[in-house]
Amino acid sequence: MKGGASMGVTGNLMNSIWFGEKTTLVKSEIKEKILNSITEKEVLFNLIELFKTGDFTQKPLLFQLMNQTRDESVLNLCIRMFLAVGSHDDLRDSNNLRFLSEVTEETVNTFASAATTSLSLDIIPYLLALLEEWAEISDTAIIIRDSIDFFINFEEEIGEDATIDEVGNFYFNYCEEMDTESYYFQQKLAFPGDLAKKLIERVMIAANNEEPLKMELIPSLLSIWSGEKVPGDYNTVINASNYKEFIGYIDRLSSENWEKGQKYFYGYKL
């Protein structure tokens, strides 16, 4: 599927489709831990735990860490985290993304692959700027173009060989038609129910043939949005016994109150 570029990149901390189980600590304990953190990794891991409680007041600390760290594995996890919890306003402030002015190919690949999880059309100007800079590196350029296409479907409309200027103009016109204050998955308002439907369709086909799930982005987003991990990953072979776990998972998701066009992190609306 388009836009499903692998988010598992070498040198990533927490190399998983989500950010781990919900926390058992209370906010005050986590804040204390952040204050007492010695290494960048400790700060980041504790920040992630705080975000899981629905407290996003320390986002500026994440942005600061992302723009200051010299540790690529910390940076890559900061990027994934930023895209998972970043709002339109966080993306509109280019100060938050200063790190993009000097990045390695691996970091660009991480950013472009995970860009789809931002669900925000405000990510596209950054992707266009990166595309201009990395146009000569074909693998990276493909990842960036795929991410842009995931949001605005330009390839179908103006062709996959469209120039950067043409894509930029298409994006500008596209935004005129859309509600840029909403969050999108592909060209539709983001909604867990829609993704759950796609997941269950895939599970049913895979179960009939006892084949692997072969889906990455949707299970990742559902896990991050809900704070409950999808009961399988890309390579999980679906059969009669684990099929029921997926049904149960979808039932639990559908009993929650979700709003179309909103963005969630571990069950909390951003």
Side-chain angles (χ1 to χ4, degrees), residues 5-7 9 12 66 72 75-80 82-83 91 96-100 103-118 122-131 134 140 143-144 147-148 151:
S6 172
M7 288 189 271
V9 189
N12 256 357
M66 182 165 68
E72 190 142 29
L75 176 57
N76 284 340
L77 181 53
C78 279
I79 289 169
R80 286 177 54 211
F82 170 68
L83 295 168
L91 282 162
N96 293 337
L97 292 98
R98 291 190 312 278
F99 71 93
L100 287 175
V103 277
T104 64
E105 187 179 340
E106 187 195 317
T107 300
V108 174
N109 290 349
T110 297
F111 180 79
S113 309
T116 50
T117 65
S118 73
D122 290 298
I123 194 106
I124 299 204
Y126 300 101
L127 292 171
L128 287 167
L130 287 172
L131 186 56
W134 294 83
T140 297
I143 295 173
I144 299 170
S147 274
I148 297 172
F151 280 102

Side-chain angles (χ1 to χ4, degrees), residues 133-144:
E133 209 175 313
W134 294 83
E136 303 306 309
I137 313 287
S138 62
D139 286 358
T140 297
I142 288 168
I143 295 173
I144 299 170

Side-chain angles (χ1 to χ4, degrees), residues 32 115 146 203 255:
E32 188 69 25
D146 278 353
V203 164
S255 67

Side-chain angles (χ1 to χ4, degrees), residues 158-172:
I158 56 172
E160 53 185 58
D161 298 326
T163 65
I164 296 172
D165 283 346
E166 286 168 342
V167 177
N169 287 332
F170 183 83
Y171 163 68
F172 184 75

Side-chain angles (χ1 to χ4, degrees), residues 12-240:
N12 256 357
L13 300 165
M14 285 181 105
N15 204 353
S16 163
I17 67 167
W18 71 330
F19 300 99
E21 297 293 339
K22 287 183 175 175
T23 184
T24 52
L25 298 174
V26 295
K27 291 175 194 182
S28 55
E29 283 180 275
I30 303 169
K31 285 182 174 169
E32 188 69 25
K33 285 182 140 197
I34 292 172
L35 286 174
N36 296 326
S37 296
I38 294 164
T39 65
E40 290 180 337
K41 284 180 188 171
E42 279 180 70
V43 173
L44 180 53
F45 285 147
N46 288 318
L47 267 178
I48 292 171
E49 293 308 297
L50 185 63
F51 295 155
K52 287 177 191 174
T53 68
D55 182 337
F56 301 108
T57 54
Q58 300 302 311
K59 273 202 267 184
L61 188 53
L62 173 69
F63 307 154
Q64 194 185 336
L65 183 59
M66 182 165 68
N67 286 300
Q68 287 178 353
T69 185
R70 292 281 166 257
D71 178 336
E72 190 142 29
S73 64
V74 169
L75 176 57
N76 284 340
L77 181 53
C78 279
I79 289 169
R80 286 177 54 211
M81 198 64 234
F82 170 68
L83 295 168
V85 298
S87 65
H88 297 304
D89 287 342
D90 295 330
L91 282 162
R92 285 168 192 159
D93 182 353
S94 58
N95 269 328
N96 293 337
L97 292 98
R98 291 190 312 278
F99 71 93
L100 287 175
S101 60
E102 38 174 310
V103 277
T104 64
E105 187 179 340
E106 187 195 317
T107 300
V108 174
N109 290 349
T110 297
F111 180 79
S113 309
T116 50
T117 65
S118 73
L119 311 175
S120 172
L121 290 164
D122 290 298
I123 194 106
I124 299 204
Y126 300 101
L127 292 171
L128 287 167
L130 287 172
L131 186 56
E132 202 145 331
E133 209 175 313
W134 294 83
E136 303 306 309
I137 313 287
S138 62
D139 286 358
T140 297
I142 288 168
I143 295 173
I144 299 170
R145 277 179 173 267
D146 278 353
S147 274
I148 297 172
D149 188 59
F150 175 87
F151 280 102
I152 62 174
N153 199 22
F154 73 87
E155 289 182 2
E156 199 171 291
E157 302 289 332
I158 56 172
E160 53 185 58
D161 298 326
T163 65
I164 296 172
D165 283 346
E166 286 168 342
V167 177
N169 287 332
F170 183 83
Y171 163 68
F172 184 75
N173 294 328
Y174 184 87
C175 286
E176 299 278 290
E177 308 285 309
M178 305 305 265
D179 170 13
T180 51
E181 293 305 316
S182 288
Y183 294 93
Y184 289 90
F185 181 83
Q186 291 170 317
Q187 289 74 55
K188 290 197 177 113
L189 290 171
F191 183 60
D194 293 343
L195 269 64
K197 207 165 126 201
K198 288 183 179 181
L199 174 66
I200 212 69
E201 281 165 8
R202 175 64 207 142
V203 164
M204 287 166 104
I205 292 167
N208 282 336
N209 307 314
E210 294 218 351
E211 59 188 25
L213 181 61
K214 286 195 179 162
M215 211 181 213
E216 182 161 38
L217 184 57
I218 286 176
S220 180
L221 283 172
L222 287 175
S223 303
I224 292 167
W225 293 354
S226 67
E228 184 188 344
K229 190 168 185 270
V230 167
D233 57 29
Y234 191 86
N235 298 313
T236 304
V237 175
I238 311 296
N239 54 36

